[in-house]
Amino acid sequence: MSLPPELQNAASRPVALTVRKLLGLFGERSRDFEVVGRIESILTGAGLACEPPLRQGQLDSPVTVGPTGGVPEPEAAEEETGGEDMPTPAAIRVADVPSARLGDQLVSLKPGHDLDYARWLMSHNRFSQLPVLSGATVLKGVVSWKSIALAHARGKCTTLADATETAEVVRVGDDLLTVLPALQDYGCVFVRDEDEKICGLVTAADMSLAFGALTGPYLRLGEIERRLRRCVERMCPTVEQLRTASGNNKADGPEHLMLGQIQQVFKKPDRWAKLGWSIHHDYFYEELDAVRKIRNEVAHFRPSPLTREQLERLEKFAGMLRDFQP
């Protein structure tokens, strides 16, 4: 891997782009510690650096590649991490909810449409609400089954305007947690993108599905780590054995180990033998290493939802541990 042509003059003319585009220049689609380390090594060799550091933010977060002197060096990981870097986890953004990025697929009404058409469109698509747009950037309001019922209750429900209410708007880059109060009050928020276009919406149901998809890997990885720690208790019954096998000289128990240090315990044939499992040691260790890399991506980068293959890998590994370490 060499420095891409697009960055050849970055020392004199810094290049502004997104994390996704920077990865693409190096032929990568997602980040892990190996990918980030390799790219940073190439940039450093060319007298360049990425600001903010490549390991931070979302895939669509802006970064600038420029001369090394203009970019602060990232802090070194502390010894206790056992070599695993611990950058600040990226916040979950509105953009992480699939319905927030519908683009041209967003179904909407125009101010000139009649109320019967709105009813049909919501019934046909099984929607509870629809935005009323006058152009891609102008949100006139929202029509919902609730707003129609209220218009009837007020005695005036003839035109689309009669059933149109004020809509709440958020931005794709907003922290998802800050949207919760608006969802509670309005039931739905519409999303404005970087070009000021209304690009999607988030409902309470969308939020529930999104949190399930985004937090599911955290929960499964948590289960995996808990079961691995129980294994370590059996493999290293004394503190001395634990410290020697893990390489962590300050650990007083498995709960003090990072996943990489737990992996080091499993690497030792004499410790592995303590489990008495009739499965191939090398194959297990290889799979554990793959899970560790997924864990690092989820815990530190969280650039995008995991692939189906990654999710299946976690599920299979967790299932195997349940069988051997209930």
Side-chain angles (χ1 to χ4, degrees):
M1 186 185 294
S2 58
L3 188 69
E6 294 85 348
L7 302 178
Q8 293 291 339
N9 299 318
S12 57
R13 299 180 62 184
V15 178
L17 66 176
T18 64
V19 169
R20 188 191 305 275
K21 290 182 179 178
L22 179 57
L23 291 171
L25 293 182
F26 289 90
E28 302 291 348
R29 298 180 60 186
S30 61
R31 294 170 294 183
D32 59 26
F33 284 93
E34 181 181 355
V35 169
V36 171
R38 189 163 62 247
I39 293 175
E40 288 180 342
S41 177
I42 293 171
L43 293 177
T44 300
L48 302 173
C50 180
E51 183 181 2
L54 179 58
R55 66 197 66 205
Q56 295 180 5
Q58 306 289 305
L59 280 182
D60 294 316
S61 297
V63 294
T64 300
V65 176
T68 304
V71 181
E73 292 292 331
E75 296 182 3
E78 296 182 3
E79 182 181 354
E80 289 81 5
T81 65
E84 293 187 54
D85 199 3
M86 294 290 288
T88 303
I92 300 176
R93 305 294 182 185
V94 170
D96 291 315
V97 181
S99 62
R101 287 281 198 178
L102 295 175
D104 295 337
Q105 296 182 340
L106 177 65
V107 180
S108 63
L109 296 163
K110 296 180 179 179
H113 285 145
D114 58 43
L115 200 53
D116 285 342
Y117 178 69
R119 292 191 184 97
W120 177 85
L121 202 57
M122 286 194 292
S123 297
H124 178 70
N125 291 284
R126 303 183 65 80
F127 292 157
S128 297
Q129 61 279 308
L130 287 171
V132 181
L133 298 176
S134 179
T137 62
V138 182
L139 179 63
K140 307 297 288 186
V142 58
V143 172
S144 65
W145 293 119
K146 179 182 177 181
S147 71
I148 293 173
L150 288 174
H152 274 293
R154 288 191 292 262
K156 186 180 181 182
C157 190
T158 304
T159 67
L160 186 69
D162 294 333
T164 300
E165 295 183 332
T166 301
E168 186 73 5
V169 180
V170 300
R171 292 189 172 274
V172 289
D174 288 348
D175 189 322
L176 192 58
L177 293 179
T178 65
V179 175
L180 292 176
L183 272 181
Q184 184 174 7
D185 292 339
Y186 296 92
C188 171
V189 295
F190 293 93
V191 183
R192 196 178 294 278
D193 67 14
E194 299 88 346
D195 298 321
E196 299 300 319
K197 295 179 180 179
I198 300 298
C199 60
L201 73 164
V202 178
T203 67
D206 295 326
M207 180 73 85
S208 177
L209 291 173
F211 269 108
L214 293 169
T215 62
Y218 287 94
L219 298 176
R220 186 62 67 234
L221 284 164
E223 176 193 352
I224 288 172
E225 289 197 31
R226 286 192 298 274
R227 295 185 188 279
L228 290 174
R229 293 179 199 281
R230 293 180 196 168
C231 292
V232 171
E233 287 180 340
R234 295 167 55 190
M235 299 161 77
C236 300
T238 70
V239 172
E240 290 74 21
Q241 291 172 342
L242 177 70
R243 292 179 177 179
T244 300
S246 68
N248 185 338
N249 295 325
K250 298 181 180 180
D252 292 323
E255 67 276 9
H256 297 150
L257 301 182
M258 302 291 293
L259 185 55
Q261 295 166 343
I262 292 175
Q263 184 181 11
Q264 290 303 308
V265 177
F266 276 88
K267 187 176 183 179
K268 307 292 191 300
D270 60 325
R271 296 300 102 193
W272 170 260
K274 293 288 184 179
L275 293 175
W277 292 354
S278 298
I279 54 178
H280 200 287
H281 180 207
D282 291 343
Y283 292 157
F284 181 91
Y285 183 81
E286 180 179 339
E287 197 63 21
L288 174 55
D289 189 54
V291 169
R292 179 188 61 81
K293 291 177 180 178
I294 295 174
R295 180 264 183 195
N296 285 343
E297 182 177 331
V298 169
H300 303 318
F301 297 119
R302 245 294 303 146
S304 59
L306 295 181
T307 64
R308 179 180 300 177
E309 291 76 13
Q310 288 175 314
L311 290 171
E312 289 180 353
R313 194 161 214 159
L314 292 182
E315 289 295 337
K316 289 178 180 178
F317 192 76
M320 179 179 62
L321 285 178
R322 289 188 206 108
D323 291 337
F324 284 86
Q325 179 59 60

